[in-house]
C-alpha cells in the first residue's frame, strides 16, 4: 500500500516567485509546480497532500506561535499520514527543526524539514531534489525523528546549523554525523537513528518565555550583560569560548552570573565552536563559570539549547528539574 505524506508549506525560498521587490512566497505556486514534476508520480514515490499556510512566511518572520501551529498540524493529522515534510525558509530552519524535535514527544514517524536556496520557480534550482528525496525518505526509511534534508544530506534536526548563505550545502551538523548521504547510492546510518519510542506520541506546545542568547567577545562591556540580566529573564544561553571558557579576571562579571543563578535564572554554557563541547573543569576560566552556577550545554548547538529551554519551561518544571533535563539527552540533541 502506498504511503501518504503530508506536506506543510510554511513558505520560504522554495515557494517564492520573482517580484519587483525581490523573491516572495506565492500562494498556490508550490501545488501547481509539484504537479508538473514527473518523478513524483513514480510508483516508488508516496502519495502526498499539501497544506499551505496563509500567509506564507519568510522564515525570518517565524515565531513561537508558528512553531506551535506546525506541531499542532502534525498532531492533528498524525494518524492520517505516514510522515510529514515541512517546506521552510532556510534562515531559521535549524531553530524550527530543534523546536519540533522537543515538542513532538515520542515521535514514531518521520518529520523532515526542507527548503531550497533557489526557488522552485527557477530553471536552475536545488528545490526539486530536496522535495523528491525528502518524500522518498519519509516513505522508505525507518525514521522516527525530526530531520533536515538538504543537498543530499539527512541531518538530525536538533544538531543542524545553517552554515552557508550562498552554497547548496547550506546545512551541516558539525557535532554529529550525518544520518544519511544521498548520492548515486543511499547510505543511511541506521545505527545513528533514534530508536522507535515505547510511549505514546504527545504534543507539547510552547508558551512564551523570556529567554536570551548572549555571545561573548573579547573586551565586551559587562554593563551589556548586566542590563540583560536585570530583565525578568528565566533562561540565558551564554555562548562562551572554546570548551566553555570566559574571562575570570573581572569579579563584577562573575558576581553578575552568580547573583542571576541565585535568583533562579537558568544559565546554560554553550560553546561558540561548531565542533566539540563544553568542559567546564578543563580550564580555570571555565571552572569559575561552574562555581557561579552555570550548567553545561555539552555539545548542543545554541539553537537547540535555546529551544530546549523554551520547551522545558513550557512544561512548568521547577528550575532544578529544568537544569537536570538541560544536561540530559532527550532526543539526540546532546552526546551523553
Amino acid at each position: 500500500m502506498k504511503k501518504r505524506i503530508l506536506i506543510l508549506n510554511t513558505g520560504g525560498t522554495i515557494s517564492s516567485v520573482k517580484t519587483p521587490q525581490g523573491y516572495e512566497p506565492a500562494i498556490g505556486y508550490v501545488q501547481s509546480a509539484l504537479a508538473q514534476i514527473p518523478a513524483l508520480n513514480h510508483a516508488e514515490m508516496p502519495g502526498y497532500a499539501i497544506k499551505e499556510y496563509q500567509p506564507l512566511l519568510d522564515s525570518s518572520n517565524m515565531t513561537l506561535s508558528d512553531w506551535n501551529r506546525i506541531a499542532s498540524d502534525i498532531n492533528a493529522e498524525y494518524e492520517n499520514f505516514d510522515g510529514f515534510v515541512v517546506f521552510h525558509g532556510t534562515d531559521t530552519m535549524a531553530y524550527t527543526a530543534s523546536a519540533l524535535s522537543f515538542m513532538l514527544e515520542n515521535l514514531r514517524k518521520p518529520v523532515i524539514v526542507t527548503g531550497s536556496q533557489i526557488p522552485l520557480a527557477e530553471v536552475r534550482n536545488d528545490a526539486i531534489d530536496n522535495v523528491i528525496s525528502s518524500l522518498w525518505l519519509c516513505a522508505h526509511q525507518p525514521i522516527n525523528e525530526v530531520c533536515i534534508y538538504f543537498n543530499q544530506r539527512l541531518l538530525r534536526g536538533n544538531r543542524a546549523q545553517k552554515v552557508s548563505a550562498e552554497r547548496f550545502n547550506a546545512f551541516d551538523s558539525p557535532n554529529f554525523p550525518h544520518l544519511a548521504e544521498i548520492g548515486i547510492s543511499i547510505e543511511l546510518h541506521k545505527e545513528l537513528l533514534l530508536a522507535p519510542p515505547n510511549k505514546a506520541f504527545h504534543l507539547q506546545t510552547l508558551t512564551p518565555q523570556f529567554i536570551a542568547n548572549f555571545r561573548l567577545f573579547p573586551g565586551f562591556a559587562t554593563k551589556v550583560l548586566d542590563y540583560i540580566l536585570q530583565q525578568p529573564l528565566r533562561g540565558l544561553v551564554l555562548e562562551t569560548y572554546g570548551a566553555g571558557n570566559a574571562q575570570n579576571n573581572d569579579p563584577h562579571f562573575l558576581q553578575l552570573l552568580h547573583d542571576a543563578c541565585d535568583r533562579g535564572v537558568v544559565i546554560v554554557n554553550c560553546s561558540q565552536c561548531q565542533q566539540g563541547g563544553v568542559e567546564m573543569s578543563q580550564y580555570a576560566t571555565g571552572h569559575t563559570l561552574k562555581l557561579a552556577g552555570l550548567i553545561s550545554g555539552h555539545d548542543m548547538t545554541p539553537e537547540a539549547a535555546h529551544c530546549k529551554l523554551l520547551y522545558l519551561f513550557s512544561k512548568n518544571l521547577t528550575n532544578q528539574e529544568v537544569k537536570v533535563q538541560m544536561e540530559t539527552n532527550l532526543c539526540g540533541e546532546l552526546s551523553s
Side-chain angles (χ1 to χ4, degrees):
M1 186 155 170
K2 231 181 188 192
K3 297 272 181 87
R4 290 192 73 231
I5 309 301
L6 179 62
I7 296 172
L8 297 175
N9 181 23
T10 70
T13 299
I14 195 169
S15 309
S16 293
V17 296
K18 199 173 275 183
T19 74
Q21 292 78 39
Y23 285 116
E24 282 185 359
I27 295 290
Y29 176 73
V30 159
Q31 184 112 22
S32 60
L34 295 190
Q36 295 173 44
I37 300 174
L40 293 179
N41 297 316
H42 192 280
E44 287 188 18
M45 292 300 289
Y48 67 87
I50 300 176
K51 177 172 179 146
E52 188 163 74
Y53 288 11
Q54 293 195 27
L56 290 170
L57 295 173
D58 182 297
S59 75
S60 298
N61 293 323
M62 278 278 167
T63 64
L64 177 148
S65 61
D66 297 306
W67 295 343
N68 279 335
R69 183 181 179 188
I70 296 166
S72 296
D73 283 344
I74 291 171
N75 180 56
E77 298 287 1
Y78 190 74
E79 298 302 331
N80 302 326
F81 290 90
D82 299 295
F84 302 86
V85 173
V86 180
F87 289 179
H88 196 288
T90 58
D91 285 350
T92 62
M93 188 183 284
Y95 283 96
T96 297
S98 292
L100 292 176
S101 75
F102 298 115
M103 298 168 74
L104 303 173
E105 297 178 347
N106 308 313
L107 184 63
R108 192 180 272 273
K109 296 182 179 184
V111 174
I112 299 181
V113 187
T114 193
S116 65
Q117 293 284 68
I118 299 178
L120 198 52
E122 296 295 326
V123 174
R124 273 189 68 255
N125 70 67
D126 56 328
I128 292 176
D129 174 65
N130 287 347
V131 171
I132 291 171
S133 295
S134 294
L135 287 168
W136 190 92
L137 285 163
C138 272
H140 295 289
Q141 297 302 326
I143 298 165
N144 304 288
E145 58 182 288
V146 178
C147 300
I148 285 178
Y149 179 82
F150 220 90
N151 194 45
Q152 303 184 320
R153 294 171 171 173
L154 184 70
L155 311 173
R156 175 159 295 153
N158 54 36
R159 292 286 196 155
Q161 291 185 293
K162 187 173 182 182
V163 295
S164 176
E166 57 185 25
R167 297 175 185 268
F168 283 147
N169 56 341
F171 288 86
D172 204 353
S173 54
N175 247 346
F176 195 76
H178 301 163
L179 299 178
E181 280 88 20
I182 317 295
I184 292 173
S185 60
I186 293 165
E187 291 182 58
L188 185 78
H189 307 296
K190 291 185 180 178
E191 72 284 359
L192 297 175
L193 294 173
L194 293 182
N198 51 22
K199 294 179 182 174
F201 172 73
H202 176 255
L203 168 65
Q204 174 61 56
T205 53
L206 302 178
T207 53
Q209 309 290 334
F210 202 155
I211 297 167
N213 284 44
F214 186 80
R215 187 179 175 98
L216 297 183
F217 53 90
F220 80 94
T222 303
K223 285 181 182 176
V224 179
L225 184 62
D226 194 352
Y227 178 79
I228 292 171
L229 289 173
Q230 283 174 27
Q231 311 311 306
L233 273 186
R234 295 206 68 188
L236 174 70
V237 178
L238 189 67
E239 298 181 34
T240 57
Y241 312 124
N245 304 317
Q247 63 195 67
N248 66 349
N249 60 355
D250 181 352
H252 181 50
F253 165 68
L254 296 171
Q255 193 62 48
L256 275 179
L257 296 174
H258 197 286
D259 292 347
C261 291
D262 283 352
R263 284 199 312 275
V265 181
V266 177
I267 306 182
V268 185
N269 184 357
C270 276
S271 175
Q272 294 178 15
C273 299
Q274 286 193 311
Q275 287 188 306
V278 168
E279 296 285 350
M280 284 193 282
S281 299
Q282 193 168 338
Y283 293 93
T285 45
H287 188 64
T288 48
L289 297 182
K290 189 175 184 178
L291 293 177
L294 274 68
I295 59 170
S296 175
H298 299 276
D299 57 354
M300 276 190 291
T301 65
E303 294 93 331
H306 183 99
C307 294
K308 190 174 179 180
L309 273 177
L310 194 54
Y311 159 76
L312 292 172
F313 281 127
S314 296
K315 289 174 77 74
N316 295 318
L317 303 176
T318 66
N319 270 22
Q320 187 52 39
E321 287 171 326
V322 169
K323 288 180 178 180
V324 170
Q325 292 291 298
M326 279 304 294
E327 295 203 62
T328 303
N329 178 31
L330 301 182
C331 50
E333 75 281 2
L334 62 84
S335 302
S336 301

